[in-house]
Short mmCIF file of all heavy atoms in Angstrom, two decimals:
data_model
loop_
_atom_site.label_atom_id
_atom_site.label_comp_id
_atom_site.label_asym_id
_atom_site.label_seq_id
_atom_site.Cartn_x
_atom_site.Cartn_y
_atom_site.Cartn_z
N ALA A 16 147.02 135.85 119.06
CA ALA A 16 146.91 136.98 118.08
C ALA A 16 147.44 136.59 116.81
O ALA A 16 147.49 137.52 115.90
CB ALA A 16 147.60 138.25 118.73
N PHE A 17 147.79 135.36 116.55
CA PHE A 17 148.44 135.08 115.23
C PHE A 17 147.45 135.30 114.17
O PHE A 17 146.27 135.32 114.34
CB PHE A 17 149.02 133.71 115.21
CG PHE A 17 147.90 132.66 114.85
CD1 PHE A 17 147.76 132.13 113.52
CD2 PHE A 17 146.94 132.19 115.82
CE1 PHE A 17 146.80 131.19 113.24
CE2 PHE A 17 145.96 131.33 115.54
CZ PHE A 17 145.84 130.86 114.21
N LYS A 18 147.94 135.54 112.97
CA LYS A 18 147.10 135.75 111.80
C LYS A 18 147.23 134.63 110.79
O LYS A 18 148.29 134.41 110.25
CB LYS A 18 147.46 137.07 111.17
CG LYS A 18 147.19 138.40 112.00
CD LYS A 18 147.52 139.62 111.29
CE LYS A 18 147.29 140.85 112.13
NZ LYS A 18 147.62 142.11 111.42
N LEU A 19 146.08 133.95 110.57
CA LEU A 19 146.17 132.85 109.57
C LEU A 19 146.19 133.45 108.16
O LEU A 19 146.61 132.74 107.26
CB LEU A 19 144.86 132.05 109.79
CG LEU A 19 144.72 130.79 108.85
CD1 LEU A 19 145.94 129.77 109.24
CD2 LEU A 19 143.37 130.18 109.01
N ASP A 20 145.83 134.75 108.09
CA ASP A 20 145.85 135.35 106.78
C ASP A 20 147.19 135.30 106.03
O ASP A 20 147.21 135.34 104.78
CB ASP A 20 145.49 136.89 106.87
CG ASP A 20 144.09 137.06 107.39
OD1 ASP A 20 143.34 136.05 107.31
OD2 ASP A 20 143.65 138.18 107.60
N VAL A 21 148.28 135.33 106.70
CA VAL A 21 149.56 135.30 106.08
C VAL A 21 149.97 133.96 105.51
O VAL A 21 151.01 133.82 104.80
CB VAL A 21 150.72 135.66 107.08
CG1 VAL A 21 150.48 137.08 107.66
CG2 VAL A 21 150.93 134.73 108.21
N TYR A 22 149.15 132.92 105.76
CA TYR A 22 149.43 131.59 105.13
C TYR A 22 148.50 131.23 104.00
O TYR A 22 147.21 131.55 104.05
CB TYR A 22 149.25 130.52 106.20
CG TYR A 22 150.17 130.57 107.36
CD1 TYR A 22 149.86 131.34 108.49
CD2 TYR A 22 151.40 129.87 107.29
CE1 TYR A 22 150.80 131.30 109.57
CE2 TYR A 22 152.29 129.82 108.37
CZ TYR A 22 151.97 130.64 109.52
OH TYR A 22 152.82 130.66 110.55
N ALA A 23 149.06 130.59 102.99
CA ALA A 23 148.19 129.94 102.09
C ALA A 23 147.78 128.58 102.69
O ALA A 23 148.64 127.94 103.37
CB ALA A 23 149.01 129.69 100.80
N ILE A 24 146.57 128.15 102.45
CA ILE A 24 146.18 126.93 103.04
C ILE A 24 145.74 125.91 101.86
O ILE A 24 145.09 126.32 100.93
CB ILE A 24 144.95 127.11 103.96
CG1 ILE A 24 145.16 128.05 105.09
CG2 ILE A 24 144.42 125.80 104.48
CD1 ILE A 24 146.23 127.65 106.06
N GLY A 25 146.31 124.72 102.09
CA GLY A 25 145.94 123.71 101.04
C GLY A 25 145.17 122.57 101.64
O GLY A 25 145.40 122.24 102.82
N TRP A 26 144.46 121.84 100.80
CA TRP A 26 143.84 120.65 101.17
C TRP A 26 144.43 119.53 100.29
O TRP A 26 144.55 119.72 99.01
CB TRP A 26 142.32 120.62 100.90
CG TRP A 26 141.55 121.44 101.91
CD1 TRP A 26 141.00 122.69 101.87
CD2 TRP A 26 141.09 120.87 103.15
NE1 TRP A 26 140.39 123.01 102.99
CE2 TRP A 26 140.35 121.92 103.84
CE3 TRP A 26 141.18 119.65 103.82
CZ2 TRP A 26 139.81 121.73 105.13
CZ3 TRP A 26 140.69 119.51 105.13
CH2 TRP A 26 139.94 120.45 105.71
N PHE A 27 144.81 118.49 100.94
CA PHE A 27 145.44 117.39 100.35
C PHE A 27 144.64 116.07 100.75
O PHE A 27 143.96 116.05 101.62
CB PHE A 27 146.84 117.25 100.74
CG PHE A 27 147.73 118.42 100.32
CD1 PHE A 27 147.71 119.51 101.19
CD2 PHE A 27 148.49 118.48 99.24
CE1 PHE A 27 148.41 120.68 100.85
CE2 PHE A 27 149.24 119.59 98.88
CZ PHE A 27 149.22 120.66 99.69
N ARG A 28 144.82 115.03 99.95
CA ARG A 28 144.16 113.75 100.26
C ARG A 28 145.17 112.60 100.09
O ARG A 28 146.06 112.66 99.13
CB ARG A 28 142.87 113.56 99.71
CG ARG A 28 143.00 113.40 98.12
CD ARG A 28 141.56 113.54 97.50
NE ARG A 28 141.59 113.22 96.13
CZ ARG A 28 140.41 113.43 95.32
NH1 ARG A 28 139.30 113.68 95.85
NH2 ARG A 28 140.63 113.19 93.97
N GLN A 29 144.92 111.51 100.79
CA GLN A 29 145.77 110.29 100.57
C GLN A 29 144.87 109.17 100.67
O GLN A 29 144.30 108.89 101.81
CB GLN A 29 146.94 110.23 101.51
CG GLN A 29 147.88 109.18 101.25
CD GLN A 29 149.21 109.29 101.99
OE1 GLN A 29 149.35 110.05 102.95
NE2 GLN A 29 150.27 108.70 101.44
N ALA A 30 144.77 108.32 99.62
CA ALA A 30 143.95 107.06 99.68
C ALA A 30 145.01 105.99 99.99
O ALA A 30 146.15 106.08 99.68
CB ALA A 30 143.33 106.84 98.32
N PRO A 31 144.52 104.85 100.52
CA PRO A 31 145.40 103.70 100.79
C PRO A 31 146.08 103.25 99.56
O PRO A 31 145.63 103.07 98.52
CB PRO A 31 144.40 102.58 101.27
CG PRO A 31 143.15 103.40 101.79
CD PRO A 31 143.06 104.49 100.95
N GLY A 32 147.41 103.06 99.76
CA GLY A 32 148.30 102.68 98.70
C GLY A 32 148.67 103.70 97.71
O GLY A 32 149.34 103.43 96.75
N LYS A 33 148.25 104.99 97.90
CA LYS A 33 148.48 106.03 96.94
C LYS A 33 149.28 107.19 97.60
O LYS A 33 149.28 107.35 98.86
CB LYS A 33 147.29 106.64 96.36
CG LYS A 33 146.46 105.53 95.50
CD LYS A 33 145.24 106.27 94.83
CE LYS A 33 144.60 105.25 93.87
NZ LYS A 33 143.43 105.88 93.15
N GLU A 34 149.97 107.98 96.78
CA GLU A 34 150.65 109.06 97.36
C GLU A 34 149.63 110.20 97.70
O GLU A 34 148.56 110.31 97.13
CB GLU A 34 151.58 109.50 96.25
CG GLU A 34 152.76 108.69 96.04
CD GLU A 34 153.88 109.27 95.02
OE1 GLU A 34 153.66 110.42 94.56
OE2 GLU A 34 154.91 108.62 94.85
N ARG A 35 150.15 110.98 98.60
CA ARG A 35 149.32 112.24 98.98
C ARG A 35 149.28 113.17 97.80
O ARG A 35 150.30 113.45 97.14
CB ARG A 35 149.95 112.86 100.16
CG ARG A 35 149.02 113.95 100.80
CD ARG A 35 149.56 114.35 102.22
NE ARG A 35 149.65 113.25 103.08
CZ ARG A 35 150.00 113.48 104.45
NH1 ARG A 35 150.21 114.65 104.88
NH2 ARG A 35 150.03 112.35 105.20
N GLU A 36 148.13 113.64 97.46
CA GLU A 36 147.97 114.54 96.33
C GLU A 36 147.24 115.76 96.78
O GLU A 36 146.39 115.85 97.63
CB GLU A 36 147.09 113.85 95.24
CG GLU A 36 145.71 113.49 95.63
CD GLU A 36 144.88 112.95 94.45
OE1 GLU A 36 145.38 112.79 93.42
OE2 GLU A 36 143.66 112.47 94.69
N GLY A 37 147.53 116.91 96.01
CA GLY A 37 146.93 118.15 96.26
C GLY A 37 145.50 118.25 95.72
O GLY A 37 145.24 117.69 94.65
N VAL A 38 144.58 118.75 96.44
CA VAL A 38 143.17 118.90 96.03
C VAL A 38 142.93 120.37 95.67
O VAL A 38 142.28 120.62 94.63
CB VAL A 38 142.27 118.40 97.17
CG1 VAL A 38 140.86 118.59 96.81
CG2 VAL A 38 142.50 116.95 97.47
N SER A 39 143.16 121.23 96.58
CA SER A 39 142.86 122.60 96.41
C SER A 39 143.72 123.53 97.38
O SER A 39 144.21 122.99 98.32
CB SER A 39 141.35 122.87 96.70
OG SER A 39 140.98 124.13 96.58
N CYS A 40 143.87 124.72 96.99
CA CYS A 40 144.47 125.68 97.93
C CYS A 40 143.86 127.09 97.70
O CYS A 40 143.31 127.36 96.66
CB CYS A 40 146.00 125.69 97.65
SG CYS A 40 146.57 126.37 96.13
N ILE A 41 144.09 127.95 98.77
CA ILE A 41 143.64 129.25 98.79
C ILE A 41 144.77 130.09 99.29
O ILE A 41 145.33 129.81 100.25
CB ILE A 41 142.36 129.40 99.63
CG1 ILE A 41 141.75 130.79 99.42
CG2 ILE A 41 142.53 129.01 101.00
CD1 ILE A 41 140.30 130.95 99.91
N GLY A 42 145.06 131.24 98.55
CA GLY A 42 146.11 132.14 98.90
C GLY A 42 145.83 132.91 100.10
O GLY A 42 144.72 132.99 100.62
#
């Protein structure tokens, strides 16, 4: 019964040899 609505969700990506970076998020 948990609600995902209470969380902001972000998408991140990480290429080889690079730091993880933010791509997009939704509140």
Side-chain angles (χ1 to χ4, degrees):
F17 85 98
K18 295 182 179 180
L19 187 63
D20 290 353
V21 301
Y22 293 91
I24 303 297
W26 282 98
F27 300 81
R28 66 187 181 186
Q29 188 167 20
K33 294 187 176 181
E34 292 188 353
R35 193 169 298 189
E36 63 175 359
V38 175
S39 180
C40 67
I41 186 166

